[in-house]
Amino acid sequence: MGNFLSECFDDDYFINSLSQEYIAHLSYMGLGTEQNPNIIYPFDQLISQIKPSRIIEIGTFAGGLTMILRTILDNNNLSNTNIVTYNVHEPTYLL
């Protein structure tokens, strides 16, 4: 069994995860995201327990997860929490 983190960043791992439906192409508030469809509940539980003052997202894609996180924060009365998001590649689909 290989290193899990290196597998996660391998394109073959990502494509395999998509084919096995661990990750799905989703849309939230009109913005795309590639996530496990069951991600909202664990994020809600985590955010409600730790009450972060800042969230850093690496790999923005089309902004769907960013909006999911913003909604979860707002629903937990954490509207002052900042979300900082970085993309590795220039988002040509937004130009």
Side-chain angles (χ1 to χ4, degrees):
M1 182 175 193
N3 180 320
F4 179 73
L5 286 177
S6 65
E7 289 176 9
C8 285
F9 292 103
D10 182 21
D11 286 338
D12 290 336
Y13 176 84
F14 184 74
I15 291 167
N16 188 41
S17 295
L18 279 173
S19 68
Q20 294 184 24
E21 298 181 7
Y22 299 138
I23 298 173
H25 299 285
L26 306 171
S27 177
Y28 183 75
M29 297 179 74
L31 299 172
T33 184
E34 293 182 350
Q35 300 295 324
N36 181 307
N38 301 312
I39 200 69
I40 294 174
Y41 179 74
F43 271 138
D44 183 60
Q45 292 299 299
L46 180 65
I47 288 170
S48 68
Q49 289 177 22
I50 65 171
K51 301 184 184 335
S53 61
R54 179 181 306 130
I55 293 176
I56 299 174
E57 177 187 15
I58 299 174
T60 310
F61 183 56
L65 180 59
T66 308
M67 291 305 296
I68 290 170
L69 294 172
R70 178 80 270 152
T71 299
I72 292 170
L73 289 165
D74 292 348
N75 289 343
N76 282 281
N77 296 316
L78 296 168
S79 56
N80 290 330
T81 297
N82 294 320
I83 300 175
V84 179
T85 182
Y86 298 97
N87 228 0
V88 177
H89 304 288
E90 185 175 339
T92 56
Y93 46 84
L94 296 177
L95 297 178

